[in-house]
Amino acid sequence: MGPPRKLVFPPSVTKSYLLCMRIINLNPDTDIGASAWFLHLEGNGLLMDAGTHPKREGRASLPLYDVIRKEDVDAIAVTHCHHDHVGSLPLAHRFFPKAHILMTELSYLLVERVLHNSVNVMIRQKEELGITEYPLYSHHELDEMFHIFQGFRYNREVEWAAVQKIQAGFGSPTLEFFDAGHALGSAGIMVRGQKQTVFYTGDVCFRDQTILRAAQFRDVKADVLIMETTRGNRGTPPGFTREGEVERLAQAIQRVLERKGCILIPVFALGRTQEILAQLALLMRAGKVQKQPIYIGGLGRVFTEIYDIEAHRANRQHTNLKLTEALNLIVLDKDQIEKMKLSGGRIFVVTAGMMSEKTAAHDLALRMIGDERQSIFFVGYADPETPGGRLKASKPGDTFVFSPSGGEVTRRCEVEDFDLTAHASREDLLDFVGQVEPRTVLLGHGELPARLWFEESIKQRYPKIRVIQPAPGLSVEV
Ligand SMILES: [Zn+2]
Ligand SMILES: [Zn+2]
């Protein structure tokens, strides 16, 4: 906890001040971007998430921490260990060194590796892409801060305000992590003040995935709801089932292997990798995909081990499916990415999901795009302005700039999109709004058309609920 801190009271501590609630969306952009929400609740300040923007470089990728520089931030709570939610945590800590840093137990086991890896990536980008601002933090700085991290079980109420504030009568707000079913350790956050409650969904999935079970948000009710809207611009087609999609994936993989082509599945190292590996393991066990090695990235391999080891702690299916045993996993090295022969049928499940530069997926894709025997299968979201997004949108024979370092390519390979998302459908999220019965909903973590769909749909279905799309950096009274 450190030495007792001096309390800086607001100019006049009035009753209304203590009862007010303000929220600031700190995402520097109006798209999915970097997640970070400042909540001022009844005299206490909480930062929820501290992400980085996947499409921006250097300091431009950071949340708008300057906007809240003068605020009192008592605690920082993290929903999960994806970069768009946790990537700038060390910077947030630099701004608010006295704030406790809270997360779920499972995130606690992942976060060090995620952040150390991101230092390595930034160093590489500095050397190879000339981004001089990188790294934004160092390995040493990380090692110095880890002791203030705290990991909590799901559904345990935790006090988070500074002790002196509680004593000074600011009340003693709590927070509680609810399993969000999105990736290992993911959570929605319930914040309870004396008079009011706020629920922040983080990234959420309301349906079972292959490993992780659906979110456990059944009992959630709150006065204010902050909600992700990733899939607001994508309706669920009639008759769609995840099982049907898996079947389609199995047939597509088998088709490519039979013609001796390779399959690249770009994924995030945490979550997507393990869900796809589990699916492949089950398909191989069922004889639907022929048994063979799977090439993965080093960090993906580490997280896969943690998924296996922590199987007892996660709310998951197939608890006895140990991925590292069920599959022959081979960690790809840089040399293989450049030189390995792309024939004879191989499966690559490698980062990054959006094929950002200097990743295995980017470099392998460059080798595969012009070759009609090869296949690239997307299984998750790719922003349209990333190499992965551009490839996904392309048609056979299209010539386009893949990335600044990759240059112009002509697409001859097969590209398919399989909807095996880790995000809630918009229909499920709309139902969830009805369950929570908030007086106000704040929409974030989505493109403009996605947020507009939610705004209109919520107003139509729940006319009494106020809907806000908070602009970056603007303080909203709720
Ligand atoms: Zn996520
Ligand atoms: Zn996210």
Side-chain angles (χ1 to χ4, degrees), residues 32-33 35 80 82 84-85 182 202-203 230 423 445:
I32 289 183
S35 284
H80 66 293
H82 283 154
D84 58 327
H85 298 260
H182 165 74
D203 290 355
T230 311
H423 287 274
H445 200 284

Side-chain angles (χ1 to χ4, degrees), residues 27 32 46 58 83 85 88 103 120 129 131 169 179-180 185 226 240 272 302 306 320 333 351 367 397 419 434 455 478:
N27 181 359
I32 289 183
L46 177 69
H83 279 116
H85 298 260
S88 67
M103 61 195 77
N120 293 336
L129 302 174
I131 306 169
D179 191 340
I226 305 174
F240 174 87
R272 242 48 310 258
V302 170
I306 297 178
N320 290 322
D333 63 40
T351 54
R367 293 186 58 202
D419 190 353
E455 172 152 8
V478 285

Side-chain angles (χ1 to χ4, degrees), residues 167-233:
Q167 288 164 353
F170 276 67
S172 158
T174 63
L175 68 76
E176 177 178 343
F177 293 110
F178 282 73
D179 191 340
H182 165 74
L184 197 68
S186 66
I189 301 175
M190 171 67 82
V191 187
R192 296 184 180 93
Q194 283 171 292
K195 302 269 180 197
Q196 311 189 74
T197 52
V198 180
F199 188 77
Y200 168 41
T201 60
D203 290 355
V204 56
C205 190
F206 286 114
R207 304 282 165 118
D208 291 344
Q209 299 183 62
T210 310
I211 301 182
L212 292 189
R213 286 192 188 276
Q216 307 281 305
F217 286 4
R218 273 182 306 273
D219 304 326
V220 171
K221 299 254 178 216
D223 299 312
V224 173
L225 174 64
I226 305 174
M227 192 169 88
E228 72 128 314
T229 59
T230 311
R231 288 171 67 87
N233 49 3

